[in-house]
Amino acid sequence: MNNISNNLTPTSRFLGLAPFLRLSLDDQDLMPIAQSIFQQLEEDSANPELLMNLSMVMQILGDPKVGLELQKQALLLKRTYVVPSVTGKAKYRLLLLMAPGDIAENTPLDCLMEGEEVELIFYYLNDEAPWFIDPIPEHDIAMVGVCESAQHQSMLEALSETLKHWQVPVINAPEYIGVTDRTCASSLLNPVPGIEAPMTFLLKRNALTELVTGESELSAKYEGVRFPILLRPRDSHAGRDLEKIESLQALAQYLDKVENDEYFLCNFIDYSDEQGDFKKFRIVLVEGNAYICHKATSKHWMIHYVNAGMLDEEAEIKRQDEAYSMMHFDEFIERHGDALKSIYEKTKMDYLGIDCAETKDGQLLIFEIDHVMVVHGMDPVDKFAYKLQPIQKIKDAFNTMVEHKIKAFPSDENNS
């Protein structure tokens, strides 16, 4: 283990996702850390911070079942976890309202704000009413970190009412989070000039089975949809079980191996360039101002930054292309500024991630909009030094937004 992992091993304070994700991205083995925490828990089994740290590690290691059970145990003991300011002095205290569950279900704000003079207070809500079990710590601003999902609908509805009377400003009001649903987002953005947002349909499993058996036809039942299509289970994250389906036979095979009650379906759009490369951008909107997080290039249409080979030694050309796009992001804004402005105006989200690409005819192709995307500056500096400044711009924009919201909030109100 390197110095970072050595520093993590002995501590029993809550560390959040960021330090473990950093180690993972640096290709460090997290198993020794997991084993060390297990050993500490043998002597201190009711330590919630240790349980939460181990929960994070196990989820990164690809064992969500164990990770979520550890989280469940931790939340029985306490629901508030704090990542202090890197200097010990915080410019502000941010309360992040979280839902119990997978690390992909909440805004991983500590990954973005790593190294900043900010105190992050992670407050895990209950799965059902009453939503707030533990006392609410003092804070200067709140943020809704909960993702849109069928499971969280009641929670978000309740928060919408509660936060209208909150005594500090709130980032990402819960009543707007529903627009990040794939069907809602496509309906909202598809008509916008300059945007290609394939209409997305939420289907029950039996509706897909009817397509396979010939009881219904794809194009007749779902206007504008034709093979190839993209299919994924509802509430899946990070491309889990997302596949391009070319035919009814392939659809039948997909249903045989992917069991779920509901699925999202949309057209596949070929966004490859003249060299056959697919290029995907992650953009962040902070109060409507656009910033680039990364750009990945792959020969495969389904791109995640990690599986695109951006860290490979032979990927220098990819990194040069990304560096140019990050250093000259104003050129992207010139092409798509109006479309990005429309996304902000329609979603009303203070902080929003956008996974997107450019179509062959120059449109902004929207894959997903969400506030729970991972945004970070953790990639190895020896290969990605060009990312430091663009990521710092996102941090600065977030800090500025917070400062403005706190100053603009009625001064006669007190913290909750």
Side-chain angles (χ1 to χ4, degrees):
M1 288 186 287
N2 64 10
N3 290 335
I4 299 176
S5 53
N6 283 334
N7 290 337
L8 294 182
T9 302
T11 185
S12 62
R13 68 178 177 85
F14 175 67
L15 297 169
L17 174 63
F20 302 120
L21 181 61
R22 176 178 284 278
L23 287 171
S24 178
L25 292 172
D26 195 36
D27 204 26
Q28 298 292 316
D29 185 5
L30 292 181
M31 189 55 71
I33 292 178
Q35 293 170 343
S36 174
I37 301 176
F38 269 119
Q39 290 172 359
Q40 292 176 69
L41 283 168
E42 289 179 358
E43 300 178 1
D44 191 8
S45 61
N47 187 315
E49 280 80 10
L50 282 175
L51 289 166
M52 286 297 284
N53 287 341
L54 187 55
S55 171
M56 301 280 184
V57 173
M58 296 310 296
Q59 290 185 69
I60 294 175
L61 285 172
D63 196 340
K65 184 177 180 180
V66 171
L68 294 180
E69 178 58 33
L70 289 162
Q71 182 192 90
K72 184 178 179 180
Q73 294 176 33
L75 295 182
L76 288 173
L77 298 168
K78 63 181 286 189
R79 289 185 169 263
T80 304
Y81 298 85
V82 178
V83 174
S85 164
V86 66
T87 63
K89 296 181 179 180
K91 294 179 179 178
Y92 57 85
R93 299 162 298 175
L94 186 147
L95 181 77
L96 190 63
L97 297 173
M98 310 272 281
D102 190 279
I103 54 177
E105 294 184 21
N106 295 283
T107 305
L109 192 62
D110 57 321
C111 295
L112 172 63
M113 303 307 288
E114 187 186 37
E116 294 293 296
E117 290 186 307
V118 177
E119 180 175 293
L120 298 179
I121 307 167
F122 296 81
Y123 187 99
Y124 284 85
L125 299 156
N126 195 21
D127 287 316
E128 57 185 10
W131 305 103
F132 294 88
I133 296 179
D134 284 4
I136 300 168
E138 289 190 358
H139 56 285
D140 305 301
I141 191 164
M143 180 174 180
V144 180
V146 182
C147 76
E148 188 286 325
S149 73
Q151 178 183 351
H152 298 150
Q153 186 173 352
S154 296
M155 179 185 291
L156 290 170
E157 289 174 355
L159 283 178
S160 182
E161 283 302 312
T162 300
L163 295 182
K164 287 177 182 177
H165 312 290
W166 213 245
Q167 293 180 303
V168 298
V170 176
I171 298 170
N172 284 350
E175 55 264 34
Y176 300 136
I177 287 174
V179 302
T180 63
D181 169 78
R182 293 180 188 277
T183 57
C184 293
S186 66
S187 298
L188 188 70
L189 301 180
N190 185 270
V192 176
I195 287 180
E196 176 79 38
M199 289 302 298
T200 301
F201 300 89
L202 181 61
L203 282 67
K204 299 286 187 182
R205 183 179 178 86
N206 65 331
L208 292 171
T209 302
E210 289 176 1
L211 294 174
V212 172
T213 60
E215 296 175 60
S216 61
E217 292 186 10
L218 185 64
S219 58
K221 193 158 187 176
Y222 307 103
E223 184 178 355
V225 179
R226 77 290 177 273
F227 287 112
I229 59 172
L230 295 180
L231 202 60
R232 70 191 305 157
R234 185 177 188 178
D235 295 340
S236 73
H237 300 281
R240 178 177 60 83
D241 293 325
L242 169 63
E243 289 191 21
K244 181 171 70 168
I245 308 296
E246 304 273 2
S247 64
L248 290 174
Q249 181 181 2
L251 176 57
Q253 293 170 347
Y254 177 88
L255 293 175
D256 283 342
K257 65 181 180 180
V258 181
E259 287 282 348
N260 211 64
D261 294 331
E262 295 178 306
Y263 303 81
F264 285 118
L265 176 151
C266 71
N267 278 336
F268 169 77
I269 305 297
D270 183 0
Y271 62 101
S272 59
D273 62 15
E274 294 177 354
Q275 288 73 43
D277 290 327
F278 295 90
K279 300 186 178 185
K280 188 178 83 169
F281 298 82
R282 176 160 293 179
I283 309 298
V284 178
L285 297 184
V286 183
E287 287 192 307
N289 296 307
Y291 304 89
I292 186 168
C293 172
H294 65 231
K295 176 185 180 182
T297 301
S298 175
K299 290 295 183 182
H300 195 277
W301 62 269
M302 184 169 60
I303 305 177
H304 298 290
Y305 200 84
V306 175
N307 69 18
M310 298 296 293
L311 283 81
D312 297 346
E313 292 296 334
E314 60 271 19
E316 183 61 31
I317 293 177
K318 292 183 180 182
R319 291 193 290 271
Q320 289 175 2
D321 180 57
E322 180 184 38
Y324 181 90
S325 294
M326 297 188 82
M327 294 298 105
H328 299 85
F329 187 58
D330 56 321
E331 296 178 6
F332 188 93
I333 296 297
E334 287 178 13
R335 298 193 297 273
H336 306 296
D338 290 343
L340 293 167
K341 180 181 178 182
S342 294
I343 293 174
Y344 174 62
E345 291 173 346
K346 288 182 173 293
T347 63
K348 299 180 174 62
M349 295 283 285
D350 300 307
Y351 175 84
L352 183 69
I354 305 170
D355 276 350
C356 57
E358 295 178 291
T359 64
K360 296 176 185 292
D361 61 353
Q363 301 259 72
L364 185 65
L365 175 61
I366 304 296
F367 299 125
E368 183 179 7
I369 61 171
D370 217 329
H371 60 300
V372 300
M373 295 179 184
V374 179
V375 179
H376 66 81
M378 302 178 184
D379 293 304
V381 176
D382 60 330
K383 293 178 180 176
F384 299 95
Y386 56 84
K387 284 189 174 185
L388 295 177
Q389 183 179 1
I391 295 298
Q392 188 60 49
K393 286 183 179 180
I394 304 175
K395 296 183 179 187
D396 293 343
F398 191 92
N399 285 327
T400 298
M401 172 182 67
V402 169
E403 292 166 6
H404 287 169
K405 283 184 174 292
I406 292 174
K407 287 180 181 178
F409 201 74
S411 58
D412 58 343
E413 299 284 347
N414 296 315
N415 286 359
S416 62

